[in-house]
Amino acid sequence: GDSVTQKEGLVTLTEGLPVMLNCTYQTIYSNAFLFWYVHYLNESPRLLLKSSTDNKRTEHQGFHATLHKSSSSFHLQKSSAQLSDSALYYCALSDGATGGNNKLTFGQGTVLSVIP
Amino acid sequence: AQTIHQWPVAEIKAVGSPLSLGCTIKGKSSPNLYWYWQATGGTLQQLFYSITVGQVESVVQLNLSASRPKDDQFILSTEKLLLSHSGFYLCAWSGVNQDTQYFGPGTRLLVL
């Protein structure tokens, strides 16, 4: 079945340094969608980025990610971390099937802690 | 705008007691609905999904059941809780044939 791997459980960064959260995946579906969700404490997880297009950079709110199907990766990046970026980040995959179950397969999540 | 509400926010329950968690979506007609669960230290995994009223499909067997009594309501329940049911429960919706899911704030459940 599908799987998503986020190797880092916790990333601690000093404000202003670049952010890179790793995400790799396995799926047999060529039309798979990859997502990054951000979960702030006491809020709903919300979509940060998504992509199904190979080698195309996707950007939102200062974050960006590029889906690389050749390496099965969808790493999340930001040029300069802010204190407000501290949150739990999930990488997730859906197989792109239309109709029926649009099941999301999640990685373990990475806590990003930005310190002054 | 669509809103999704989950209740209760948190619960502490005894082993063997019944459970009912609810989810309501407003502002979206005929959404696909999903229940996800995350055990402490575990990964979010899908439990159930529903594409129409009265129809629910189980994805993972956890001695839980789900129902969709109304178009905008999704209920997760069990008659007898197990310790292993502890964790974080998330409800989500998506449009039909749409890839993005939108999540509620979740319910934290502790079974003692």
Side-chain angles (χ1 to χ4, degrees):
Chain A
D2 298 337
S3 67
V4 176
T5 301
Q6 294 178 251
K7 286 187 177 177
E8 310 106 346
L10 171 65
V11 171
T12 302
L13 285 174
T14 301
E15 190 178 13
L17 289 181
V19 178
M20 181 157 172
L21 305 185
N22 289 307
C23 174
T24 56
Y25 64 93
Q26 286 188 317
T27 183
I28 63 172
Y29 297 99
S30 58
N31 293 330
F33 277 87
L34 271 293
F35 303 83
W36 277 102
Y37 281 87
V38 59
H39 191 185
Y40 292 99
L41 195 62
N42 297 323
E43 295 184 12
S44 303
R46 62 177 175 83
L47 179 68
L48 185 57
L49 292 171
K50 68 177 183 182
S51 181
S52 63
T53 305
D54 197 12
N55 296 318
K56 181 180 177 182
R57 175 171 163 142
T58 302
E59 298 190 43
H60 185 61
Q61 295 186 334
F63 287 90
H64 63 92
T66 303
L67 178 59
H68 293 296
K69 294 187 179 182
S70 60
S71 59
S72 298
S73 66
F74 191 55
H75 305 318
L76 183 67
Q77 299 181 70
K78 188 178 184 185
S79 58
S80 176
Q82 297 178 287
L83 295 175
S84 58
D85 294 330
S86 296
L88 174 59
Y89 292 80
Y90 288 109
C91 184
L93 174 152
S94 76
D95 62 21
T98 57
N101 185 17
N102 182 17
K103 176 185 172 185
L104 282 177
T105 300
F106 283 87
Q108 291 268 35
T110 299
V111 173
L112 175 63
S113 176
V114 182
I115 57 176
Chain B
Q2 299 86 9
T3 59
I4 178 168
H5 175 58
Q6 285 187 245
W7 73 91
V9 173
E11 280 259 54
I12 299 176
K13 303 277 282 186
V15 170
S17 63
L19 174 76
S20 181
L21 304 181
C23 173
T24 300
I25 294 86
K26 296 300 182 187
K28 180 65 180 178
S29 177
S30 302
N32 288 355
L33 298 176
Y34 313 89
W35 277 112
Y36 289 84
W37 168 72
Q38 182 178 36
T40 303
T43 305
L44 277 165
Q45 57 180 308
Q46 190 186 66
L47 299 178
F48 299 93
Y49 71 94
S50 172
I51 61 173
T52 191
V53 175
Q55 192 174 349
V56 177
E57 301 295 331
S58 174
V59 177
V60 172
Q61 289 298 326
L62 276 183
N63 293 311
L64 294 168
S65 60
S67 64
R68 186 171 177 177
K70 302 179 186 177
D71 186 52
D72 63 354
Q73 196 173 75
F74 208 17
I75 307 296
L76 184 70
S77 61
T78 182
E79 293 187 0
K80 284 189 177 181
L81 277 166
L82 307 173
L83 288 173
S84 57
H85 287 140
S86 293
F88 186 54
Y89 291 82
L90 278 170
C91 180
W93 70 269
S94 72
V96 176
N97 294 332
Q98 292 182 353
D99 51 87
T100 301
Q101 293 184 26
Y102 301 92
F103 289 88
T107 296
R108 294 203 179 274
L109 174 67
L110 179 60
V111 182
L112 299 173

